[in-house]
Amino acid sequence: MSWADSSPGMQAGKLPINGHSQEEESSQYPRPLGQRKKIVVVGLGMVGIAFIEKMIKMDAKRREYDIVVIGEEPHLAYNRVGLTSFFQHRKVENLYLNQQEWVRLLPPRPVGQRLLTLNFQYTKVPDGALNYHLNTRVTEIHPSNRVVSTSTGATVPYDILVLATGSDALLPRHTPGYDAKGVFVYRTIEDLQKLINFADTCKGSTGAVVGGGLLGLEAAKAMMDLETFGEVKLIERNRWVLSRQLDGDAGGMVVDLVRNLGLDVLLSKRVGRIEVDGNNAVKGVLFEDGEHMDCKCLMFAIGIKARDELARRSGIKCADRGGGIVINPDLMTSKEDIYAIGECASWESQTFGLIAPGIEMAEVLAFNLTQAKVHSSRKFKRPDLSTKLKLLGVEVASFGDFFADRDGPKDMPGRRHAAKKREGISNGEAKVMNITNGPPPPPVKALTYKDPFKAVYKKYLFTLDGKYLLGGMMIGDTKDYVKLVPMVKNQKMLDVSPSEFIVGAKKDGDDDTADLTNDTQICSCHNVTKGDVVDVVKDGTCKSIGEVKSCTKAGTGCGGCMPLIQSIFNAEMKAMGTEVLNHLCPHFAYSRADLFNIIYVKKLKTFPEVMKECGKDADSMGCEVCKPALGSILASLYNQHVIDKPLHGLQDTNDQFLANIQRNGTFSVIPRVAGGEITAEKLIVIGTVAKKYGLYCKITGGQRIDMFGAKKQDLIAIWTELVNGGMESGHAYAKSLRTVKSCVGTTWCRFGIGDSVGMAVRLEERYKSIRSPHKIKGGVSGCVRECAEAQNKDFGLIATEKGFNVFVGGNGGAKPRHSELLAKDVPPDDVVPILDRYLMFYIRTADRLQRTARWIEQLPGGIRYLREVVLEDKLGICAELEKQMNELVGTFFCEWTETINNPERRKMFQEFGNTNETQETVEKVEERGQSRPAYWPKDSVTEDFRGTKWSSLSWQPMIESSKFVDGPSGSSSNVKRGDTQLAIFKIRGKWYATQQMCPHKRTFAMSQGLIGDDVASNQLWVSCPFHKRNFLLGGDEAGKCTNDPEVSMATFAVEEREDGWVYLKLPPVEELDGRLGTSRWKVKQGEREEPFRKLDEKLKGLKGRKPFQDSHLNGGMGAEGAVRAITAGGNGSIDW
C-alpha cells in the first residue's frame, strides 16, 4: 500500500482523522525554507537511512523538516545484513541501500563556525530536504545549545537530534592476545576488507570464528567464501549453535547441516588465550579445557555492544547494565528533542541486535514527528523478534514466543492469566513445593516434528487448550513462516487442530500466497506487507521484481523473503493478464518451448539461421546458456552429428568430445549396456580396454560400467577397440536417454510376472541417442517388488498380470520425486506408442534443463492434463507426436562409430594444436587397486594473473592458422610453449589468447569453453566448461571474471600473419613458466586432507578387512594373479 493511504493527512482533500482540519488545510504548508525545523541524524546505517526515507515520504506534503545526516563511514548507507555477499563482488556500491546516482556531491559550505567536508544531497527529493556528511564523526552533543560538534571541527545546529549510532562488535579484551595480528570482528566494510587483505597472506591456513549465533554463522560463511583458508572452524561455547533462537534439537540439526557443508563446528568450547608468535601474530588458540588448536586467523562474533559513548559524554541517561541509550515509549531520551533508535537504544532495559526492531523504531518516530498533529501518537511496543534467514544454505526460522516452553510465556492470548492457587494447597505449602520440586511447568504444550532424513525440524508452541499458537521454530522447511507469524501477533484463535500445522504444512511447488491477507508481513526487515507489494504492482509503479525491491525495500535486508515476493509478483502479474517472462537468455525473447516450435515450423537448421530469425541481435554470438539449448533442439529435430562444424561450437565440452569431462581434464568412457544385460565377451572387451589404458572402473546406478581417466588423445583408440568389440556409445555425455534399468523379471526370477529385461532392452534400443531438454532415465520391474526402482524414473514400467503399469515424472537427484501413474495395465504392444507421445510432448514443451518431474508439475492440470493429451488426444496431436518420434528414431547412428570413420572428426581429439606432447595436470593417487586424481584444493588461485607485469614481450609463432575455422560460434585451440598451456580463440576474424588454466579449480580447459557475448555492452567472454566462470576476452577488462571477482586470467596479444601462422606476444619462456607453468599449478596429492583418514584409522584391524586385490583363500592368487594365470594360457585358463 502507498504511504498516502497508510498515513493520515498525506492525501489532499481527505479530512484528518481527529478533526484538525484548520491545521491540515492551512496555507502554511508546505513550509518555506526559513520556517522548517532541522533534524540531525547521527549515524548512516540501515536504521538511520530507514528513518530518513520514512520521514521524507511522510513529510512530502507538509515539508516541515530538513534533514542532515552525519555518517562516520566513508560510504553511503549499505546493507549490513548482506555483508557476506561482499566477498563475491567486492563492490561496496552493490550493497548500497540507495542508488549512488540519488546523491550528488555539493561544495563545502559553512555550518556554524566551520566547514563540513564530504557534503552530499539527495537528488530524488525536494531541494534541501536532505544532506549527507560522510567520513565524519560526531564528537560531542551540546543539548543546551542544540548543536553537535564533529571530528572536522565543525558544529551543526539541530532542532531535533536522532541518534542512530548502532553498535560495535564485542571483542573480549579480558582474553590474552585479543589485540594480536589476525584477530578480527565482523561488522563493517572496513572489517571485511581487513580480513580479505589478511587472508591473502595466510592461504591454506586455518581460520576460526568464535561465536555460533546468527552473526557467527554469517562470519563463518564469509571466511568460507574467501576460499583462501585451508579450513574454517566455528567455536561455540554452548552445546549447539543459534542458542538464542533455537532449542537443543533444532540447534543440533543446524550443526549437522553446516558440518555437511564443510564447516568444522567445535561445541562447548571457550577461548582461554590467543597464542601469538614473536610478531604478535595469531598462531593458535588455547581453550579453557586445556585443548589447543592451530589457526592463523580468528574472528570474534560473540555479540554487540550499543554505541552509547557519545550520549554518555553528553549527559544523556544510559543503561548501567548492558548499555544502550535509555528511551521512553515515544523513543525520546532523557534530554528533550533528542531521540535514539536502533541498536544503540535501550527500551525497558533491552537492546535489540536485529534490524526489524530498529526499522519499527524508525517508523514510529517518523510517524510521530510528521503525523501526530492529526493522529494520536504511536508508542514503541515489545518488538516481534521473529527471524527467517538462510545461513550457509540452511533455512532457519523462529517466531513469536519461541522459548515459551523453557522460560514461560511472556503473554498469554485470550485472557490475562492471574496466578492461581493449586486446589487444596496453601500459599506456604506451594512455596515449599516450589523449593523441593521446582516451579510448575509453563502452561504450554509443544508439538514437534523431526525428520532427520530430509533435515526438517518444526516445533510449535500452543496454549494448554490448543486454541492459540504462541510461537515456534523451524529448520529446513520454513514455507509456513509468513502464515504463522500473523497468527501469533494477532493472537488469533485457531480454527484447526494443532496437528494440522505439521501434517498440512508441506505443499509442492511454489509458495502459495493466495491465502495470505494483505496485512500479512512478508519482509520483517523493512516491515513490508503483502498489500504493499500488491499495490505497487497493480498501480503500475513496478513492472519488475527489481523495481518492487527498490520501491518497497522488500528483499533488500536479509533477502530471505525473496521467494515469497517473487510468488506474489508473479500472481499479481498473471491476474492482471501480464505475462511473466520465461525467456531462454538475454539473447532471445522466447522460451525454449517457443524456440523449439519456431525452429520446427520454419525448418531452421543452423545457429545463424535461428539467431537471425529469433534473436534480439541477428549478429550475436549467443552465450553458454542458449548455445547448448539450441544445439539440443537442433539435435532433437534433425539428429545431425553434434561435433560437425556447424554444431560443434554450440556444444558443451561433454558433447564436443562425446565423453564426460572429469575434474582432472580427462574423460569417462561408458559403452551402452541396454537394460543392464551384457555378455561375458563384452565384459572381457571392457576389461581389456580399461587395463590397457589404465582406466578406473565403476559400476553405475544405471547398470553399466563407467571407465574414468581417458585422455582426450586416447579416446579415438579406446572407442575403436570398444566398437570393434561390438559396443556402441552410451550417450552418458548427452542430455538424452541414459539407461533403462531392469530387474531380471521372468528371465530368471521366480516371482517375475513380466519380461522386464526384454522390455527394458527394447525401450533403450528405441530411444537411445535422442536429445532432450534434460537427461532421461527409465526402468522396468518384473513385478510389484519393484527391484528396478521404476517409480523414481522419468518413465517406468511395472509388470502386472494384464501388461504394464506406466509411471512418469519421477527422478532422484537433488530434489527427488516419486513418479505418477499415467496408464494402467497397458499391453506390451501399446507401451511404445504411449511413451513415444509422452517423450516427444516433453521434448517439445519443456523448459531448458527441466526434468520431466518439474515439467509435469508445471503443466496446467499436471498428470491429469498429461493423460488427456497422451491417452485421449485432447489436442489432436498424438499422430504427429508418434510420427515425429518415428522419424527421429529412424535417424539413429552411433556417434562414436561415425567419428572413428571420419578423418576430420578424428583431428579434434588432440591435446595440443601445436605438438603431440601431453601433460598431466593432476597427480594420480593409487587407491583400492586403481588410480584416481588427487583431490582439488579448497581454495581458488586468487593471484592477479590479469595484472601480471612481464619483463619483456616478443612475438612468437605458435600454431598454423589453418587449424582454425571462422565459424559462427568461433573456434579455439590449446597450445603449449615450454611448460605453459595457452588458449587461442578465433571469433569472427578476430584473435584472442588467454592462459589455459581456470584459476577457480586449477583446471586446464579454457580452450574448450563456450564463447558468449553481451547484447548491451557487446563484450565477448569465454565460459570455463567446469564451473562456468566467465572471463572477458577483449577490451580494457580482458581477463576479468564477470561472475567471480576473486579470480582472473592473463591475456596476450595475438595476430595472424601472411606466413600462415598465428603469433602471440609472450614473455621469455622461463618467466612464463614461472608464472603459468603447468608444473607449478598441477594439483598434487596432499593439498587437501584425505576425507577418510580418521575413519580408516578406526577401521584398522577389523575382522574381514583385507587389501582389495587379495583373496580370502589361504594361498589365493588375488585379482592380479588370477588375471595373469588366465591370460597366460596355463592351468586355469579358458579354452576359447
Side-chain angles (χ1 to χ4, degrees):
M1 92 184 41
S2 67
W3 278 109
D5 290 331
S6 63
S7 301
M10 294 294 286
Q11 285 183 292
K14 276 195 175 182
L15 218 69
I17 288 179
N18 58 0
H20 295 181
S21 56
Q22 290 183 351
E23 172 79 357
E24 177 68 12
E25 300 299 328
S26 172
S27 61
Q28 60 185 317
Y29 297 111
R31 290 205 186 274
L33 180 63
Q35 296 181 21
R36 298 177 201 154
K37 291 183 178 180
K38 178 179 288 186
I39 298 177
V40 172
V41 181
V42 181
L44 187 53
M46 295 182 73
V47 174
I49 196 65
F51 169 72
I52 291 166
E53 290 174 345
K54 295 176 188 300
M55 277 296 302
I56 290 171
K57 286 184 178 179
M58 294 184 184
D59 193 41
K61 179 180 178 181
R62 298 173 181 273
R63 288 293 283 116
E64 291 184 271
Y65 301 100
D66 285 337
I67 303 172
V68 174
V69 58
I70 305 172
E72 187 175 20
E73 293 187 68
H75 311 293
L76 300 177
Y78 59 86
N79 182 6
R80 290 189 194 277
V81 181
L83 271 181
T84 307
S85 66
F86 181 75
F87 291 93
Q88 277 80 49
H89 50 72
R90 307 288 176 91
K91 295 180 180 178
V92 181
E93 296 79 13
N94 289 3
L95 292 174
Y96 282 168
L97 295 170
N98 303 102
Q99 299 174 21
Q100 200 168 2
E101 293 77 23
W102 285 13
V103 183
R104 66 172 182 263
L105 182 65
L106 297 176
R109 59 186 177 84
V111 179
Q113 304 301 314
R114 303 290 297 273
L115 288 177
L116 268 180
T117 58
L118 286 174
N119 181 22
F120 293 82
Q121 186 180 73
Y122 249 68
T123 61
K124 297 282 185 177
V125 298
D127 189 43
L130 174 63
N131 288 318
Y132 278 95
H133 304 290
L134 303 182
N135 211 20
T136 304
R137 183 167 49 87
V138 174
T139 55
E140 196 167 359
I141 303 169
H142 307 281
S144 57
N145 298 327
R146 291 180 178 259
V147 296
V148 296
S149 302
T150 73
S151 56
T152 65
T155 57
V156 184
Y158 68 83
D159 296 301
I160 293 171
L161 183 64
V162 178
L163 301 177
T165 50
S167 60
D168 279 331
L170 280 175
L171 197 61
R173 300 183 183 278
H174 60 280
T175 302
Y178 78 91
D179 58 349
K181 298 173 185 176
V183 176
F184 300 91
V185 292
Y186 187 82
R187 191 66 185 161
T188 66
I189 292 290
E190 185 181 5
D191 294 334
L192 269 60
Q193 196 59 62
K194 288 178 180 178
L195 174 64
I196 291 170
N197 295 338
F198 182 83
D200 288 336
T201 68
C202 55
K203 292 181 179 178
S205 63
T206 298
V209 174
V210 182
L214 295 172
L215 192 63
L217 287 173
E218 280 293 315
K221 183 180 188 304
M223 273 194 170
M224 294 173 72
D225 285 348
L226 277 174
E227 296 186 349
T228 54
F229 293 102
E231 59 178 342
V232 176
K233 297 178 182 289
L234 181 74
I235 302 167
E236 166 58 26
R237 65 181 181 179
N238 294 306
R239 290 178 288 114
W240 65 87
V241 297
L242 299 176
S243 56
R244 292 192 175 185
Q245 286 80 28
L246 304 176
D247 62 14
D249 286 343
M253 182 174 284
V254 173
V255 170
D256 292 339
L257 289 170
V258 298
R259 279 175 173 166
N260 290 337
L261 293 171
L263 178 63
D264 189 4
V265 183
L266 308 179
L267 301 173
S268 302
K269 292 288 185 184
R270 294 173 179 265
V271 176
R273 183 174 74 245
I274 302 169
E275 298 184 330
V276 298
D277 59 19
N279 296 320
N280 195 35
V282 175
K283 68 176 184 179
V285 170
L286 183 66
F287 296 107
E288 288 185 356
D289 61 5
E291 286 194 16
H292 174 270
M293 181 190 78
D294 291 330
C295 68
K296 294 287 187 181
C297 179
L298 202 63
M299 180 182 288
F300 282 92
I302 55 176
I304 56 174
K305 180 182 183 299
R307 292 195 61 182
D308 59 9
E309 62 276 9
L310 175 64
R312 288 183 186 274
R313 287 198 303 268
S314 305
I316 298 171
K317 184 178 180 181
C318 295
D320 294 327
R321 184 175 181 180
I325 305 167
V326 176
I327 56 172
N328 299 325
D330 62 357
L331 304 171
M332 188 180 289
T333 67
S334 59
K335 299 292 185 180
E336 187 179 3
D337 291 330
I338 299 180
Y339 299 85
I341 57 177
E343 294 171 350
C344 67
S346 174
W347 175 83
E348 293 189 358
S349 301
Q350 299 177 74
T351 55
F352 304 99
L354 299 174
I355 181 65
I359 300 293
E360 188 175 346
M361 290 179 184
E363 186 169 338
V364 169
L365 181 56
F367 181 90
N368 288 344
L369 292 176
T370 59
Q371 308 302 312
K373 294 183 177 66
V374 293
H375 193 281
S376 58
S377 61
R378 292 172 56 181
K379 305 292 184 185
F380 180 72
K381 300 177 181 178
R382 182 181 303 278
D384 177 23
L385 300 181
S386 302
T387 55
K388 178 175 176 286
L389 297 167
K390 192 169 187 177
L391 301 165
L392 284 162
V394 180
E395 297 279 357
V396 178
S398 57
F399 64 95
D401 195 356
F402 43 84
F403 280 142
D405 59 335
R406 185 191 71 181
D407 304 332
K410 297 183 177 70
D411 188 21
M412 291 294 287
R415 63 187 185 278
R416 298 288 179 255
H417 289 264
K420 294 183 179 180
K421 294 182 180 180
R422 277 179 266 181
E423 189 175 350
I425 301 176
S426 67
N427 285 336
E429 290 172 327
K431 289 180 180 179
V432 172
M433 290 182 66
N434 281 347
I435 294 172
T436 57
N437 301 330
V444 172
K445 284 187 177 179
L447 188 61
T448 304
Y449 171 80
K450 186 176 182 181
D451 184 349
F453 303 102
K454 293 184 178 179
V456 172
Y457 178 88
K458 298 180 182 182
K459 180 179 181 181
Y460 299 153
L461 305 177
F462 300 85
T463 54
L464 291 177
D465 56 11
K467 292 182 178 179
Y468 293 92
L469 178 66
L470 300 176
M473 54 192 69
M474 313 174 194
I475 306 294
D477 179 8
T478 61
K479 288 184 177 179
D480 292 329
Y481 173 85
V482 293
K483 300 175 184 178
L484 300 181
V485 170
M487 291 183 185
V488 176
K489 278 186 174 182
N490 301 332
Q491 296 189 348
K492 179 182 177 182
M493 184 178 289
L494 305 179
D495 51 11
V496 296
S497 66
S499 62
E500 291 191 29
F501 284 78
I502 299 293
V503 176
K506 182 67 178 175
K507 291 184 179 180
D508 289 333
D510 293 336
D511 292 323
D512 182 12
T513 62
D515 57 347
L516 299 179
T517 59
N518 275 359
D519 61 353
T520 299
Q521 184 191 68
I522 59 169
C523 175
S524 59
C525 291
H526 290 281
N527 192 26
V528 180
T529 66
K530 175 187 174 182
D532 295 332
V533 175
V534 169
D535 287 349
V536 296
V537 175
K538 281 186 174 180
D539 65 18
T541 302
C542 300
K543 296 182 176 64
S544 71
I545 205 70
E547 291 176 347
V548 170
K549 291 173 66 177
S550 177
C551 185
T552 66
K553 297 299 178 183
T556 61
C558 71
C561 57
M562 278 310 301
L564 193 62
I565 296 167
Q566 184 73 61
S567 296
I568 295 170
F569 176 79
N570 289 348
E572 291 305 317
M573 294 291 279
K574 184 176 180 180
M576 294 164 60
T578 303
E579 183 182 5
V580 180
L581 300 179
N582 186 25
H583 295 169
L584 181 65
C585 75
H587 297 96
F588 291 94
Y590 298 101
S591 67
R592 181 204 169 273
D594 293 335
L595 285 169
F596 185 98
N597 290 320
I598 294 171
I599 294 169
Y600 176 54
V601 171
K602 296 191 175 185
K603 301 188 184 306
L604 307 176
K605 293 189 176 182
T606 66
F607 179 77
E609 288 177 3
V610 176
M611 187 61 76
K612 182 178 180 180
E613 190 70 34
C614 310
K616 293 181 180 179
D617 181 353
D619 297 323
S620 174
M621 294 286 298
C623 65
E624 72 279 4
V625 174
C626 62
K627 282 181 175 179
L630 291 174
S632 173
I633 291 173
L634 293 171
S636 296
L637 287 171
Y638 309 116
N639 202 23
Q640 296 172 325
H641 205 303
V642 295
I643 68 172
D644 283 345
K645 294 300 182 185
L647 300 176
H648 187 256
L650 304 180
Q651 313 303 325
D652 271 322
T653 299
N654 291 350
D655 281 297
Q656 284 184 20
F657 300 105
L658 308 181
N660 281 337
I661 192 170
Q662 304 302 322
R663 58 187 178 86
N664 64 343
T666 63
F667 294 84
S668 62
V669 173
I670 308 180
R672 185 165 301 284
V673 181
E677 184 182 64
I678 190 168
T679 64
E681 288 81 1
K682 288 184 178 179
L683 285 172
I684 290 171
V685 171
I686 291 174
T688 302
V689 168
K691 187 70 175 176
K692 181 176 180 179
Y693 293 94
L695 306 181
Y696 174 106
C697 296
K698 187 182 182 300
I699 307 297
T700 74
Q703 297 180 329
R704 52 187 181 181
I705 299 171
D706 200 342
M707 293 173 278
F708 293 88
K711 299 174 183 177
K712 182 167 65 174
Q713 62 271 22
D714 289 339
L715 286 173
I716 292 289
I718 288 171
W719 274 103
T720 299
E721 295 193 29
L722 291 172
V723 172
N724 188 55
M727 311 203 77
E728 64 183 20
S729 172
H731 290 91
Y733 48 84
K735 294 293 185 285
S736 64
L737 178 75
R738 296 295 175 84
T739 62
V740 181
K741 186 176 181 179
S742 71
C743 66
V744 294
T746 55
T747 308
W748 288 96
C749 181
R750 69 184 188 275
F751 299 112
I753 58 175
D755 184 359
S756 51
V757 178
M759 178 60 80
V761 170
R762 286 164 174 81
L763 294 179
E764 187 162 344
E765 287 292 323
R766 178 167 181 78
Y767 300 120
K768 63 186 180 184
S769 87
I770 61 170
R771 295 304 206 277
S772 54
H774 211 301
K775 62 187 175 186
I776 303 172
K777 296 182 179 181
V780 184
S781 286
C783 69
V784 293
R785 286 175 175 79
E786 245 283 73
C787 296
E789 301 164 332
Q791 291 181 88
N792 71 351
K793 302 293 190 289
D794 296 282
F795 65 85
L797 277 63
I798 300 178
T800 69
E801 293 292 345
K802 298 179 181 179
F804 290 92
N805 287 345
V806 180
F807 294 85
V808 294
N811 66 256
K815 192 175 181 182
R817 184 181 189 269
H818 210 60
S819 58
E820 297 180 86
L821 181 65
L822 177 66
K824 189 175 181 180
D825 293 329
V826 177
D829 288 349
D830 293 338
V831 167
V832 166
I834 289 175
L835 291 180
D836 280 357
R837 298 172 186 180
Y838 160 69
L839 291 173
M840 187 51 68
F841 190 50
Y842 162 65
I843 291 170
R844 279 186 169 193
T845 60
D847 282 336
R848 165 186 169 269
L849 297 180
Q850 186 178 47
R851 291 293 297 270
T852 57
R854 307 287 87 77
W855 170 66
I856 291 176
E857 287 173 353
Q858 294 185 12
L859 286 176
I863 188 66
R864 181 180 299 176
Y865 174 76
L866 185 62
R867 290 193 192 109
E868 292 173 346
V869 172
V870 171
L871 303 181
E872 302 170 19
D873 201 10
K874 177 179 181 178
L875 303 180
I877 62 172
C878 283
E880 175 67 19
L881 294 174
E882 289 182 45
K883 176 175 176 282
Q884 194 172 359
M885 180 60 78
N886 275 323
E887 291 173 350
L888 186 57
V889 168
T891 63
F892 169 78
F893 58 90
C894 173
E895 290 175 339
W896 266 113
T897 302
E898 294 299 311
T899 301
I900 292 166
N901 292 331
N902 186 301
E904 287 301 315
R905 294 172 185 151
R906 294 171 67 102
K907 291 179 182 178
M908 300 178 185
F909 295 85
Q910 187 176 347
E911 184 169 0
F912 298 108
N914 64 341
T915 178
N916 290 325
E917 297 178 34
T918 63
Q919 279 191 313
E920 295 280 355
T921 60
V922 180
E923 270 189 358
K924 289 183 179 179
V925 177
E926 293 299 317
E927 187 172 77
R928 299 185 293 275
Q930 300 196 84
S931 295
R932 64 158 176 85
Y935 293 124
W936 272 333
K938 289 184 177 180
D939 300 332
S940 299
V941 180
T942 55
E943 293 189 22
D944 184 15
F945 293 111
R946 179 170 168 257
T948 301
K949 304 296 183 184
W950 306 106
S951 62
S952 63
L953 295 169
S954 62
W955 289 102
Q956 302 293 328
M958 294 305 301
I959 186 172
E960 294 173 271
S961 59
S962 60
K963 294 190 176 182
F964 295 83
V965 294
D966 205 2
S969 298
S971 61
S972 59
S973 181
N974 181 22
V975 298
K976 181 175 181 289
R977 182 175 189 254
D979 188 44
T980 300
Q981 300 185 37
L982 302 170
I984 302 177
F985 306 89
K986 185 180 184 181
I987 306 168
R988 293 183 175 171
K990 295 184 178 180
W991 295 88
Y992 306 89
T994 70
Q995 65 193 57
Q996 175 76 340
M997 181 192 72
C998 176
H1000 176 234
K1001 290 295 182 183
R1002 286 157 55 186
T1003 56
F1004 291 75
M1006 291 308 302
S1007 62
Q1008 299 166 23
L1010 288 173
I1011 304 298
D1013 67 4
D1014 182 84
V1015 176
S1017 64
N1018 199 31
Q1019 287 182 318
L1020 282 174
W1021 67 79
V1022 58
S1023 183
C1024 175
F1026 280 87
H1027 301 105
K1028 303 303 180 188
R1029 287 331 194 250
N1030 294 342
F1031 296 89
L1032 296 178
L1033 287 175
D1036 295 337
E1037 294 187 319
K1040 178 182 178 181
C1041 184
T1042 60
N1043 51 6
D1044 186 351
E1046 284 194 347
V1047 297
S1048 67
M1049 290 205 309
T1051 59
F1052 304 92
V1054 56
E1055 65 182 26
E1056 179 185 2
R1057 295 189 179 178
E1058 293 181 356
D1059 60 3
W1061 283 78
V1062 178
Y1063 284 72
L1064 267 63
K1065 201 170 187 180
L1066 299 172
V1069 174
E1070 297 78 9
E1071 185 178 358
L1072 184 65
D1073 288 346
R1075 184 68 168 146
L1076 296 173
T1078 305
S1079 300
R1080 179 184 177 188
W1081 298 112
K1082 181 178 182 179
V1083 176
K1084 299 179 178 63
Q1085 183 180 10
E1087 291 192 55
R1088 188 168 182 171
E1089 184 182 4
E1090 297 294 324
F1092 301 117
R1093 181 179 57 81
K1094 293 181 180 178
L1095 178 61
D1096 286 342
E1097 290 176 359
K1098 293 181 180 180
L1099 296 177
K1100 277 182 181 178
L1102 290 182
K1103 185 177 180 180
R1105 294 274 289 178
K1106 67 174 183 63
F1108 282 88
Q1109 299 286 353
D1110 291 355
S1111 169
H1112 276 293
L1113 296 175
N1114 291 330
M1117 290 184 290
E1120 292 186 7
V1123 169
R1124 282 195 298 269
I1126 292 170
T1127 56
N1131 195 24
S1133 65
I1134 298 174
D1135 182 4
W1136 294 101

